[in-house]
């Protein structure tokens, strides 16, 4: 895909390729590396395409049904190094320790480290250098695994992966 620039209400901006659009977030693969950022839709001020680009209008496709809290919980399970930016613009760098029903816990990078509790409702963006895993289990009665693998591959292709 082509790069876009997401301008955040905090004044920050990110240029990259859209990898997923969830119910309440957009995921960008940042230009020039394997770093990614998740931006809550409530934190987006605007999204700009390159000059001369026709743009896209239409219904959402892809990660519908997937929320920012779900993805952040997956990052916490892997103890990812993150930079969390609140909707108010505060940046917190450290290790994502856990995610509860309404709060994310970050162990800060400073010496000595501190625990920082961020309400999920206050999350604006999360930058990280890891991966997002798309997984679809096939339980008895849900169809054949090969068909599930085909659907997963189609989904990943729709994201440009």
């Amino acid at each position: 895909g082509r790069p876009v620039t997401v301008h955040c209400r905090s004044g920050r901006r990110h240029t990259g390729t859209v990898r997923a659009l969830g119910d309440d977030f957009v995921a960008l693969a940042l230009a020039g590396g394997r770093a990614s950022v998740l931006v809550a839709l409530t934190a987006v001020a605007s999204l700009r395409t390159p000059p001369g680009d026709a743009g896209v209008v239409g219904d959402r496709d892809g990660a519908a049904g997937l929320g920012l809290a779900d993805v952040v919980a997956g990052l916490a399970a892997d103890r990812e190094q993150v930079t969390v930016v609140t909707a108010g613009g505060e940046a917190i760098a450290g290790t994502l320790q856990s995610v509860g029903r309404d709060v994310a816990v970050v162990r800060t990078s400073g010496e000595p480290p501190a625990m920082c509790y961020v309400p999920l409702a206050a999350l604006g963006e999360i930058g990280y250098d890891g991966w997002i895993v798309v997984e679809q289990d096939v339980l008895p009665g849900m169809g054949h695994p090969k068909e599930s693998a085909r659907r997963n591959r189609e989904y990943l292709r729709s994201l440009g992966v």
Side-chain angles (χ1 to χ4, degrees):
R2 295 178 301 256
V4 298
T5 300
V6 173
H7 294 258
C8 298
R9 295 178 188 273
S10 66
R12 295 168 55 98
R13 64 180 176 194
H14 305 283
T15 300
T17 304
V18 175
R19 290 296 182 205
L21 181 60
D23 287 348
D24 59 353
F25 74 95
V26 60
L28 294 177
L30 300 180
R34 80 172 227 211
S36 299
V37 67
L38 304 170
V39 181
L41 294 181
T42 56
V44 174
S46 67
L47 185 143
R48 297 183 187 191
T49 62
D53 191 55
V56 178
V57 178
D59 291 333
R60 275 187 205 189
D61 191 19
L66 185 62
L68 181 60
D70 301 317
V71 178
V72 174
L75 293 174
D78 293 334
R79 297 288 194 263
E80 289 288 347
Q81 294 293 313
V82 297
T83 299
V84 173
V85 180
T86 66
E90 179 187 6
I92 304 145
T95 304
L96 190 56
Q97 295 290 297
S98 63
V99 175
R101 184 179 353 172
D102 59 358
V103 67
V105 182
V106 178
R107 183 175 190 261
T108 64
S109 300
E111 284 299 327
M115 300 304 273
C116 184
Y117 299 83
V118 182
L120 293 178
L123 289 180
E125 51 193 91
I126 299 179
Y128 63 98
D129 289 332
W131 304 91
I132 293 177
V133 176
V134 176
E135 180 179 336
Q136 179 179 345
D137 292 328
V138 179
L139 301 173
M142 291 180 62
H144 193 274
K146 185 174 182 178
E147 181 60 24
S148 178
R150 185 192 60 75
R151 286 191 306 271
N152 287 342
R153 186 66 198 132
E154 286 176 5
Y155 170 69
L156 291 170
R157 282 192 180 118
S158 77
L159 299 176
V161 178

